[in-house]
Amino acid sequence: MTAQLIDGVALSRQLRGEVAGRAARLTAEGHRPGLAVILVGDDPASAVYVRNKVKACEECGLHSVLERYPATLSEAELLARVAALNDDDSIDGILVQMPLPRHIDAQKVIAAIDTAKDVDGFSVHSAGTLTTGLPGLRPCTPYGCMKLIESTGRSLKGLHAVVIGRSNTVGKPMALLLLQAHATVTVCHSATPDLALHTRQADVVVAAVGRRNTLTADMVKPGAIVIDVGMNRNDEGKLCGDVDFAAVREVAGWITPVPGGVGPMTITMLLFNTLEAAEARRAGA
Ligand code: NAP
């Protein structure tokens, strides 16, 4: 059996169309959704990420502000900028690009963002709403993975999902979102003795490790949904995921490619979160 490809580029395009339509309606009512992105330092990868985020905003009709500061910016100065954006009515979402320079406490900065504007969903408050099942902003990458799984048309209710990885930004929120969708969830990590024992029983596998070939064909149940979050380089320097794509494709039922799977969805869900934050603020205004 050859798996069906879950096309993150096509799904992103479709969802961005929806964001653009809803953003246009809000704009017509006098409230154009706005995202502020703060970049501290000159890490080249971070610069590319924030440029892509700002460009995606513009393409969907969202207002965006990019604030760039030198790596010497003090923690107090950054906190003051976050406070100013919290009070700025034209801004619905605030994203502080990670990593921050060492002298700045990232947790303190994330905690300073107005919870209604935490479009990265990284704050303790957002994590709490996810854990308790309350409405709130969800971390973009796992939120995008859920949309990719939904696009297969399979209900998660009663399925066994295995998440490989337990980071606060991907693995843990992914597990909670799957749980909320009524999957039975197993979370694996670097201290899991026999990873294959778990993945072989899984109807859904989400690999979020950062090590290529973590999931090989012998570890996958025939027909499973395989979501590859990993971003690695192969020996030729090409982008690849955590999954041995060519071989797993012959066993799985659905699979995301890398590139073209989870990657495009992450920015799309940031736009989605900004739009939803704008709609919520407007409804509460
Ligand atoms: P991370 O913070 O480094 O977490 C990696 C997780 O993998 C950890 O929980 C770690 O376990 C676990 N792990 C490491 N080796 C393992 C092994 N041999 N077996 C099982 N689990 C193992 O990384 P992350 O931020 O979650 O990101 C994971 C990957 O996704 C990276 O490649 C990253 O670049 C990619 N990513 C992609 C997107 C996107 O938009 N496509 C977004 C975010 C991240 P311990 O907790 O025990 O150390």
Side-chain angles (χ1 to χ4, degrees), residues 141 164-167 169-170 189-190 208-211 229-231 262-263 266:
T141 300
I164 318 175
R166 58 171 165 179
S167 68
T169 49
V170 189
H189 44 77
S190 67
V209 173
R211 198 191 64 160
V229 183
M231 285 199 305
V262 175
T266 295

Side-chain angles (χ1 to χ4, degrees), residues 33-35 62 92-93 119 269-279:
L35 174 71
L62 274 61
D92 301 290
V119 285
M269 299 325 290
L270 173 68
L271 303 176
F272 222 89
N273 276 348
T274 305
L275 172 76
E276 293 195 329
E279 288 175 343

Side-chain angles (χ1 to χ4, degrees), residues 103-127:
H103 64 276
I104 298 178
D105 181 343
Q107 285 310 321
K108 206 164 158 183
V109 174
I110 292 168
I113 297 172
D114 180 343
T115 54
K117 299 188 178 187
D118 175 29
V119 285
D120 249 344
F122 289 169
S123 67
V124 170
H125 177 272
S126 295

Side-chain angles (χ1 to χ4, degrees), residues 209-250:
V209 173
R211 198 191 64 160
R212 67 191 165 110
N213 292 332
T214 296
L215 191 76
T216 50
D218 57 311
M219 297 167 74
V220 176
K221 178 174 165 179
I225 299 172
V226 176
I227 306 292
D228 193 351
V229 183
M231 285 199 305
N232 313 297
R233 297 276 164 193
N234 66 16
D235 291 337
E236 291 83 50
K238 281 193 181 157
L239 191 64
C240 68
D242 291 342
V243 176
D244 177 4
F245 180 80
V248 171
R249 193 182 179 179
E250 299 308 318

